[in-house]
Amino acid sequence: MRKRIKKRLLVGLLALLLLLLSGCFDAVDMGDQVFAVNLALDTGKGNALRLTVQFPQITPTGKAEGSSGGEESGLAKDGYLIEQVEGENFSACMALLRMVTPRSVDLNQLRGVFLSEALSARPELLRGSLASILTAHGARPTAYVFLTRGRAEDVLAEQTPLFGARLSKSQAAQTRELTQRGVAPQITLSTFYARLTTPGRSAAAALCAVNGMQYLDSPPPHGAQYTAYLAGELSRNTANAVDICGSAVFAEDEVFYLDGYETQLCNLLSGEMKRISLVLDGRAAAIQLKCAPRLSVRLPESPEEPPVIRVRAAVRCDEADAGKYVEALRQDVASLLIKCQQWGADPVGFCERARMRVWTLMDWEALDWPELYRKAVFEIDIR
């Protein structure tokens, strides 16, 4: 008798569990959500932070069209709605945005996060905002990170889809092409935040700006190399006004800019790029890495000795006078590393090689790598 009762109770309990498994009580219908494409973070005028969010506006037939709300703000492009709010922090901005947006705002399809120069000068607000974006609001961790010269909201206002593609597809294709060419770092939101909060490691974001098209007849302003531009200075007059070129390196609560060619050198040293074009006397030559560069750090055995950072790379150049191109590359790498060292910036990641030389976290903290890095001696062997 008792066994029968136990069996009935067990069957009843299993039936209840099956009822619970059949439903999603916290589900949100797709029609009740709106997915942000890009967001821009600026310092506010009346509050600490200004949040600008770009949404696709879709009609019931699936065709994009303009928005009267966006037209009133003067920021929207055809097919995309831009909303702006201000608050003391990112969570306050999102709370206000959700109050004025008639649908649930979702950040898990985010394509780009654009940070302004002014925000980069406020490191605590920047770190807090990025932490909130990633954790409390579930943003897509693989969204690209950009630092904008000037206001970040201006870049969103100038975004233009190219060749008949949607804005998200056009932006992804442009970013992918430029990172493959090495003129911008391929940095995601989660990686950027991790490096920004790691002592001794420099985070780097892709540099972007609105091009006023006033440099059409100007040569590269930072040297003879074809890619020696900063975003906003490209010699062009084209449909899309947004430049992406160079990198913004965050070091010791300051931001320094590397042009497109210097960014290519960083990507070459880190192994993310295998081939680079070098111009000497108006003639370009391709230099190919035979294998990934070997980077190593030798820590000092006494306080008087400096650490030694070694860079070794085997390259191939098919030009008859290949030697002078390889030597020019070696000198450019040396100049870049010394410049970054003077800034206290480490975009290549030498600190990770140095950390491998110590046994414990306590030893690493006692080492004071940022101070040692400023005293380091570079040995560069490229041939």
Side-chain angles (χ1 to χ4, degrees), residues 8-23:
R8 289 174 181 174
L9 288 173
L10 182 60
V11 170
L13 182 60
L14 289 173
L16 287 173
L17 289 174
L18 289 173
L19 289 174
L20 293 173
L21 290 172
S22 65

Side-chain angles (χ1 to χ4, degrees), residues 172-232:
Q174 181 188 20
T175 305
R176 184 170 56 251
E177 179 69 19
L178 293 173
T179 54
Q180 287 176 353
R181 293 178 181 273
V183 296
Q186 186 172 351
I187 189 77
T188 62
L189 180 59
S190 57
T191 302
F192 178 80
Y193 178 70
R195 292 179 179 176
L196 190 67
T197 54
T198 300
R201 184 67 163 99
S202 298
L207 188 64
C208 70
V210 176
N211 192 320
M213 308 301 175
Q214 71 270 36
Y215 299 104
L216 180 61
D217 57 352
S218 302
H222 303 282
Q225 305 306 320
Y226 295 152
T227 55
Y229 291 94
L230 290 174

Side-chain angles (χ1 to χ4, degrees), residues 200 263 269 305 373:
T263 303
L269 293 175
E305 292 183 41
Y373 176 62

Side-chain angles (χ1 to χ4, degrees), residues 198-199 201 350-359 364 367:
T198 300
R201 184 67 163 99
F350 294 118
C351 73
E352 295 172 0
R353 272 75 178 181
R355 192 181 303 165
M356 295 169 63
R357 296 292 181 179
V358 298
W359 289 96
W364 172 249
L367 187 64

Side-chain angles (χ1 to χ4, degrees), residues 34-41 51 53 90 94 98 105-114 128-145 188-191 193:
V34 58
F35 295 95
V37 177
N38 295 300
L39 63 83
L41 297 177
L51 171 64
V53 186
F90 186 80
M94 286 299 295
R98 286 173 170 139
V105 179
D106 197 311
L107 302 183
N108 67 17
Q109 297 297 319
L110 201 62
R111 296 290 179 175
V113 176
F114 295 81
S129 299
L130 293 178
S132 183
I133 291 171
L134 279 168
T135 56
H137 300 283
R140 185 185 185 203
T142 56
Y144 286 109
V145 179
T188 62
L189 180 59
S190 57
T191 302
Y193 178 70

